[in-house]
Structures are given as C-alpha cells and as structure tokens.
Amino acid sequence: MESMFHLLQLLAIFSSLKIIKSQCTDEDSCNCHCQFPCSRTCSSCAIGWSGTTSNFCQRKNIAYGVPAISTTTKTYQGIERPAKNAVDEDPDTYALTKSETNPQLTVTLADIFKIGHIYISLTIEATSPYYVYVTNSTSLSLSDDMLCTLFYKTTRDRYNVNLKCNNNRILTGNQVVIMRDTYNGRLRVFEIKVYQCSLGTYGSLCENECRNCQGNRCEGYTGICLSSCNHGWYGEKCDRKCSSNCETSFCDSVLGCTYCLSGHRGPDCELCERNTYGKNCSLTCKNCQDCDPVLGCKECISGFHGLDCNLSCPQGCRNQKCDRISGHCRDGCNDGFWGETCETPCKDTCGGNKTCYRDNGHCFECSPGKLGPYCLESCDFRSGSCNRQIFEALLKRKLEHFQMIRYYFIYIK
C-alpha cells in the first residue's frame, strides 16, 4: 500500500511539469499542478498543491516534505511519531512529543518567505494556549515580534484551521514554530501547511491572476504588483484600465491619467460635473441653464447674455429674455421702452399707458388734442382738423397696402 502511495506521488510530480495554455507566468501558458496529466479540465490537485482546479491548482504548500524537528519524539503504540509526519500531507499521521515543559515543533522552509496564512491540524488540549511563530533559522530565541498568532480551546479536540497572523500581518522568515504553553504536556501535530501562490496568481486560494502586472509579478497575498503595470493599466494591482479620455496614449501606473482631454478630470478622466468644464474641469459655468463639460455654457438663464453669460440683459426686455450674442431683446420691450435693446424710453407725449412701437418709437396712441408719430402736433376738434377716426382709417389703409405688396413679393413674384 505504501509503495502505491509513493507511485502516485511520482506521477503527480511528473504531471506538474507539463505546460498547458491557461494563465499565470506568461502571456498564454501556466504550470499545471493537477494530480493526473493535464488536459482541458482538472479534477484534483497533485500532492503539495491545492487551490482551485479551475486554474489548475496554483497554491503550493512550501512546507511539504521540508525538514522538521521537535523538542522530543514520542513512540506511541509501538510506532515512533517524528516531526516529519507533520509535513507529509497525510492527515492520518502525526508528530508527537513527550510530556515536557513548553514542547515545540519547528518546520524549516527552503528559503525566506513572506508568510501571512498557515494551516494547522493538531490535537488541542483544554485551556493550554498554543503559540505560532514565524522566525529565521539564525534567531536564537522566540520574541513577540515573531508571533503570528495564539489560540486555545476550553475542551480537548482535533483542531483544523487556516490561521491568519494577527492584524493581517505578513511576517518574513524561513521557519514556522508551534509551541504549547504548558508545565508538563505533549504536543500532537497532524499537519502544518504554509501556502504560497504560483507566480502570476494571488488570493487565499491563488485563484486570481495578475495579468496586468509587468512580467505577471505580484505579491501572492494582496495581488499588489511587484513592479509597474502593463501598458494601458494602473493601480496597486494594475486592475484599473486607463481611460480612453486620457490625452496621452498611456497613464501613470500609480496616479492613473494625469492629462485628461478637455471636459474630463481625475485618474479615470470622468466627465466634469456641478457646472464645471474645460481642462481639468477648472472653469465654472455661471448664470447657465445648460453647461457642456467641454464647451461651457450652451444657454444662459433668463436675464443674462454673453459667451460666459456674465452680462445682464437690458432692463427694458420683456420677460428678461435677450439674444445671447447681441443682447437684443427676444420677446419685445416692456411698456414704455423701444429699440433693439429696449433701452430708449417712449416719448412722454405718448398717450394711454405711454407705450410705443419697438422699431421706431412711434406712439401707440395720443392724448386728446394730439396727433402725429410722437403725438407732438396739436389739433382743434372744433374746427374738424383733428378727426382721429379719419387718421386711423388712413393708417389702416396704408397697412393693408403694405401687406398686399409684401404678399406679392413673397408668394407671387
């Protein structure tokens, strides 16, 4: 049975060397770490590897098969329980120390690594605290700054847990030490696993890719790129696409776009908002009804005109509306004014409500005893020289004649 187990191990190692098109370290390929020869699918991971089969098992147990020692070794039921049993990925074997003060088990990795997660399977004794340290083989003693975490339980139990270092710390070292704080007790450890992601992947299961990092190099726990981003990307993880509204063809790996097209601002070159426009949205629309992020104000609110809507319409404009460019009143004049800008008062000699025609200032009506365009001429009703009805009839005929001529030139000629 044991020989069959080792044969499966060898098959897994050889199969893990095969390259398939997927992801990870270069543009279109990735090391496969599945248990059986890789194809389009992966049903299970090779020994020493885990993660997700969808990306072909990219999480490596760097503690698998490495040197391990314990302060003492206990023989139980006629079988020695050495420290190496804690790094064989066999959940049925375990390392066991003799009863002693503060028993320890130390795993020495092949190199210095950044470590933030550790999987531990052990028998936990009630009320005894257990300490997990990440240290260097050159250190002479354990200290608080090397402490990853500690834990304890109120009942005796088999404890299987993925541990995170306190405060999400990432510790650096080549050794993992488990110590039970006890005056006289044993330490039983079934498995210690320390995970690292294949180059080009990150996450708790190494399920994410850092395709947009240069060389696909990123930190395995956080996904933060170890160098700069590939062209067209930015951010710590190079997972933010440079905006098409960036003035240049690339953006800064950290800051994003620093030169946006007019009408845009920010690292993602978002459209200007809140009545701002222009380069970096540095200009502000005022007295504006419709502010375009690139061109500025397209239409002024009532009462204003000018390219920047910074000029007031003449006070004589009816409804306070005037042409944006010329300032000429659009809805006519208020009573008592005439002219294109309605700034000229009607003659005081006008009768009625003192109103006059906008184009020439002629009075709409005269006071009794007055006539003429501006009501300046006097007349004597007694002599019959000032018959207002005759005057109005003549005016009406002139208007009708004018309309006939206008109709001829527009519709007949």
Side-chain angles (χ1 to χ4, degrees):
M1 189 67 183
E2 186 176 353
S3 60
M4 181 62 70
F5 178 74
H6 287 300
L7 179 59
L8 287 173
Q9 285 183 304
L10 289 173
L11 285 172
I13 292 172
F14 282 114
S15 67
S16 70
L17 297 177
K18 187 173 181 178
I19 304 296
I20 65 162
K21 288 188 175 181
S22 175
Q23 68 266 326
C24 297
T25 55
D26 54 42
E27 187 172 347
D28 60 359
S29 65
C30 161
N31 285 340
C32 170
H33 305 293
C34 301
Q35 184 171 358
F36 300 103
C38 293
S39 60
R40 290 182 178 272
T41 61
C42 177
S43 58
S44 59
C45 298
I47 192 168
W49 294 88
S50 59
T52 60
T53 55
S54 60
N55 75 335
F56 302 95
C57 309
Q58 300 305 318
R59 187 174 69 172
K60 183 179 181 180
N61 174 17
I62 58 174
Y64 172 59
V66 301
I69 59 172
S70 53
T71 47
T72 59
T73 301
K74 173 73 174 178
T75 299
Y76 183 69
Q77 295 180 339
I79 302 175
E80 189 178 46
R81 311 292 178 171
K84 68 178 183 179
N85 287 355
V87 290
D88 62 359
E89 288 214 347
D90 185 345
D92 297 323
T93 64
Y94 58 86
L96 181 64
T97 69
K98 297 177 181 179
S99 294
E100 58 182 316
T101 300
N102 299 339
Q104 296 181 19
L105 188 147
T106 302
V107 173
T108 301
L109 306 174
D111 207 340
I112 303 288
F113 292 95
K114 291 182 177 180
I115 298 172
H117 299 170
I118 302 170
Y119 171 83
I120 295 177
S121 176
L122 77 168
T123 299
I124 192 167
E125 304 294 339
T127 68
S128 287
Y130 290 76
Y131 294 80
V132 181
Y133 294 90
V134 175
T135 182
N136 289 312
S137 53
T138 56
S139 301
L140 300 178
S141 61
L142 300 175
S143 60
D144 289 343
D145 62 327
M146 304 173 184
L147 179 65
C148 174
T149 189
L150 67 89
F151 54 91
Y152 69 93
K153 295 290 183 180
T154 56
T155 57
R156 188 177 189 272
D157 196 9
R158 172 79 176 263
Y159 189 51
N160 306 310
V161 62
N162 278 303
L163 296 172
K164 281 187 177 182
C165 292
N166 294 336
N167 301 318
N168 292 319
R169 294 176 65 201
I170 305 296
L171 301 176
T172 302
N174 69 336
Q175 285 188 334
V176 176
V177 180
I178 300 177
M179 183 187 76
R180 178 186 173 190
D181 186 359
T182 179
Y183 175 72
N184 187 35
R186 293 181 294 187
L187 177 65
R188 186 194 304 260
V189 181
F190 288 87
E191 207 65 45
I192 297 176
K193 297 180 182 180
V194 181
Y195 296 123
Q196 295 283 303
C197 292
S198 294
L199 183 63
T201 64
Y202 69 96
S204 59
L205 296 175
C206 306
E207 72 278 18
N208 302 311
E209 304 172 28
C210 43
R211 277 290 178 192
N212 301 320
C213 302
Q214 276 195 359
N216 289 24
R217 299 179 61 83
C218 67
E219 204 280 322
Y221 289 107
T222 64
I224 294 175
C225 295
L226 300 179
S227 56
S228 58
C229 301
N230 289 335
H231 179 79
W233 298 89
Y234 80 99
E236 282 188 331
K237 299 179 182 179
C238 298
D239 54 355
R240 300 178 68 175
K241 190 172 180 63
C242 293
S243 172
S244 59
N245 293 312
C246 199
E247 196 170 77
T248 54
S249 59
F250 64 93
C251 60
D252 186 272
S253 292
V254 177
L255 302 176
C257 187
T258 53
Y259 298 98
C260 297
L261 295 175
S262 182
H264 301 80
R265 64 173 298 178
D268 293 319
C269 293
E270 297 173 332
L271 272 175
C272 298
E273 56 183 12
R274 296 181 180 177
N275 285 331
T276 59
Y277 71 99
K279 189 69 175 175
N280 294 322
C281 306
S282 58
L283 303 174
T284 302
C285 289
K286 296 179 180 179
N287 307 316
C288 183
Q289 185 170 314
D290 183 8
C291 185
D292 183 273
V294 178
L295 303 175
C297 193
K298 296 171 68 176
E299 184 176 355
C300 305
I301 62 175
S302 294
F304 293 90
H305 73 100
L307 292 177
D308 297 322
C309 299
N310 59 335
L311 302 174
S312 297
C313 291
Q315 291 184 351
C317 289
R318 190 180 299 278
N319 301 322
Q320 281 290 291
K321 290 184 177 180
C322 63
D323 182 86
R324 181 178 178 183
I325 304 302
S326 66
H328 295 171
C329 299
R330 292 194 309 192
D331 292 352
C333 300
N334 290 328
D335 291 346
F337 294 89
W338 71 282
E340 290 182 329
T341 58
C342 300
E343 292 179 309
T344 305
C346 295
K347 295 289 186 180
D348 291 337
T349 54
C350 291
N353 58 0
K354 304 296 184 182
T355 56
C356 58
Y357 291 97
R358 177 182 175 181
D359 55 347
N360 56 22
H362 292 178
C363 297
F364 281 166
E365 60 178 309
C366 295
S367 299
K370 297 290 182 179
L371 58 74
Y374 300 109
C375 301
L376 296 174
E377 301 175 30
S378 299
C379 61
D380 186 355
F381 282 100
R382 290 173 297 178
S383 64
S385 64
C386 189
N387 191 324
R388 185 67 178 177
Q389 289 182 340
I390 295 175
F391 176 80
E392 289 176 350
L394 291 173
L395 179 61
K396 182 178 180 180
R397 284 198 297 271
K398 288 183 179 180
L399 288 174
E400 289 174 349
H401 184 253
F402 172 79
Q403 292 293 343
M404 290 176 63
I405 294 174
R406 181 172 180 271
Y407 181 86
Y408 173 81
F409 278 102
I410 293 177
Y411 298 106
I412 298 177
K413 188 175 180 179

